[in-house]
Amino acid sequence: SQTIHQWPATLVQPVGSPLSLECTVEGTSNPNLYWYRQAAGRGLQLLFYSIGIDQISSEVPQNLSASRPQDRQFILSSKKLLLSDSGFYLCAWSPTLNTEAFFGQGTRLTVV
Amino acid sequence: DQQVKQNSPSLSVQEGRISILNCDYTNSMFDYFLWYKKYPAEGPTFLISISSIKDKNEDGRFTVFLNKSAKHLSLHIVPSQPGDSAVYFCAARNTPSGYALNFGKGTSLLVTP
């Protein structure tokens, strides 16, 4: 069966520090991968999606970037965090782009 | 611009009764709708979906109804159980234009014994 791992579960970072969140999927090959964010009081917003290695699409302009160095690894990064980057970040995968997405456990990021 | 709206932030239902969670959307091009369930400190779990060519989809205790003319969908849980207590997110997609799932803000369901 397929599983998705996302870490860390919680993270507190100072403003201006870098960020790296990692997500890996097991039990499948060539998954479509997504990064979502849920800011306080808001729904889930798609940040990035990827259909293959080094193929990243950004849905919204922001202070973050994503990379996919391996087929089942998806990384969310920032060079300098802002207070507004605080939120709940979720990695997800789907077998194709036209199906439901399956989510990881999420990372609660607090920028202080 | 919130294209998917869940206007009830919370709902409390007695165990054994029906829970009805509502969702409205503004984009008439949405063609696929989903419901996710989320427990605290966990990622959302896919529950049930419906294509715009249907008006009902049922899976066990969960049924989703779609009213395209009203741009409204609802999730019915019958009978409700205490383990159903969670936040429920409605999501929608306009598949031809991309892959983003547009989520509502969620409704927190509490099922009391």
Side-chain angles (χ1 to χ4, degrees):
Chain A
S1 64
Q2 301 86 6
T3 56
I4 180 168
H5 302 281
Q6 184 183 343
W7 64 93
T10 59
L11 190 59
V12 180
Q13 291 282 99
V15 168
S17 64
L19 172 74
S20 180
L21 301 180
E22 188 164 342
C23 170
T24 59
V25 180
E26 296 178 357
T28 187
S29 59
N30 198 31
N32 299 302
L33 298 171
Y34 312 83
W35 278 110
Y36 280 84
R37 175 174 63 198
Q38 183 182 19
R42 307 194 66 177
L44 294 165
Q45 182 184 39
L46 179 65
L47 302 176
F48 301 96
Y49 71 89
S50 170
I51 61 172
I53 295 174
D54 295 329
Q55 299 180 68
I56 312 292
S57 297
S58 174
E59 287 291 305
V60 293
Q62 60 208 299
N63 182 43
L64 302 166
S65 63
S67 61
R68 185 171 177 176
Q70 300 179 39
D71 179 45
R72 290 171 289 174
Q73 184 185 31
F74 206 22
I75 298 171
L76 183 70
S77 304
S78 173
K79 292 182 180 178
K80 288 186 178 181
L81 284 168
L82 306 172
L83 286 174
S84 58
D85 292 325
S86 293
F88 192 53
Y89 288 82
L90 289 152
C91 182
W93 77 276
S94 68
T96 71
L97 287 165
N98 287 342
T99 58
E100 61 271 14
F102 301 92
F103 286 83
Q105 296 286 77
T107 296
R108 172 72 60 191
L109 172 66
T110 305
V111 183
V112 295
Chain B
D1 179 31
Q2 195 78 21
Q3 298 186 68
V4 177
K5 300 177 183 178
Q6 294 176 258
N7 293 319
S8 298
S10 63
L11 175 68
S12 183
V13 172
Q14 212 169 15
E15 181 178 7
R17 300 285 184 103
I18 181 172
S19 294
I20 301 177
L21 297 110
N22 293 304
C23 178
D24 297 293
Y25 60 95
T26 58
N27 189 342
S28 58
M29 300 301 292
F30 285 148
D31 60 352
Y32 192 61
F33 304 88
L34 309 90
W35 282 95
Y36 282 83
K37 174 181 178 180
K38 183 182 179 300
Y39 293 116
E42 293 185 8
T45 303
F46 169 72
L47 262 181
I48 192 169
S49 63
I50 187 168
S51 164
S52 60
I53 62 173
K54 295 185 175 182
D55 54 19
K56 177 183 175 182
N57 188 26
E58 192 172 353
D59 183 3
R61 296 187 297 115
F62 302 92
T63 303
V64 56
F65 295 92
L66 175 62
N67 182 334
K68 289 187 291 293
S69 61
K71 295 192 183 70
H72 176 84
L73 69 156
S74 60
L75 174 69
H76 292 210
I77 307 173
V78 184
S80 301
Q81 300 173 355
D84 295 329
S85 298
V87 177
Y88 289 79
F89 288 96
C90 171
R93 182 178 66 213
N94 173 11
T95 306
S97 76
Y99 311 108
L101 287 175
N102 296 272
F103 282 86
K105 294 183 181 182
T107 296
S108 178
L109 172 66
L110 176 64
V111 180
T112 57

